[in-house]
């Protein structure tokens, strides 16, 4: 189901979409997300492959009942939360000011 928008709103959206600020916003997002997604997927695949093919390494007991596989598994969570926090800080510093400015421009054009 699509929502009908006014011609004025459509024109404002298209103008903002073609602006340099919007291109910079998109470029900043991609520069952050793509490398980190690739790095995290490589880290995750390393964990999966090591679990399947490096049993001796992953089963190495570090202390008590804690082995390398458990530490790597927990580090997956630490990495996930670390990336989420890093992204939130990056977005607040680099992307949110641009997005706020574009939203204000859009709202001002619609209210006219």
């Amino acid at each position: 189901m699509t929502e009908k928008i006014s011609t004025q709103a459509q024109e404002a959206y298209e103008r903002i979409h073609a602006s340099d600020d919007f291109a910079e916003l998109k470029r900043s997002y991609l520069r952050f997300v793509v490398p980190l997604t690739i790095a995290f997927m490589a880290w995750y695949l390393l964990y999966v492959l090591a679990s399947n093919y490096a049993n001796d390494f992953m089963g190495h007991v570090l202390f008590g009942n804690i082995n390398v596989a458990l530490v790597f598994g927990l580090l997956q969570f630490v990495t996930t939360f670390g990336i989420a926090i890093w992204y939130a800080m990056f977005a607040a510093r680099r992307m949110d000011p641009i997005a706020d400015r574009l939203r204000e421009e859009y709202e001002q054009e619609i209210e006219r």
Side-chain angles (χ1 to χ4, degrees):
M1 186 169 154
T2 58
E3 181 180 332
K4 287 237 176 215
I5 61 171
S6 69
T7 304
Q8 183 184 19
Q10 178 68 26
E11 289 173 359
Y13 175 79
E14 289 176 0
R15 189 197 60 73
I16 289 171
H17 185 265
S19 70
D20 290 340
D21 279 346
F22 189 82
E24 175 59 27
L25 183 66
K26 202 162 90 175
R27 194 173 24 254
S28 292
Y29 174 78
L30 291 175
R31 271 189 278 172
F32 186 90
V33 169
V34 170
L36 275 179
T37 300
I38 292 169
F40 184 78
M41 291 305 296
W43 163 231
Y44 178 72
L45 288 174
L46 174 69
Y47 173 70
V48 171
L49 292 173
S51 295
N52 282 318
Y53 301 110
N55 293 331
D56 291 341
F57 172 71
M58 295 300 269
H60 180 75
V61 176
L62 298 173
F63 55 90
N65 291 330
I66 307 299
N67 62 14
V68 172
L70 181 61
V71 171
F72 273 25
L74 292 174
L75 286 176
Q76 295 284 320
F77 287 104
V78 172
T79 305
T80 301
F81 287 113
I83 290 172
I85 291 167
W86 189 13
Y87 177 76
M89 292 169 41
F90 174 80
R93 190 181 70 246
R94 301 270 313 265
M95 296 171 50
D96 288 351
I98 298 171
D100 291 343
R101 191 171 53 244
L102 290 173
R103 184 178 54 245
E104 284 177 21
E105 286 178 22
Y106 178 77
E107 289 173 353
Q108 286 175 355
E109 285 189 32
I110 297 303
E111 290 175 5
R112 281 191 230 158

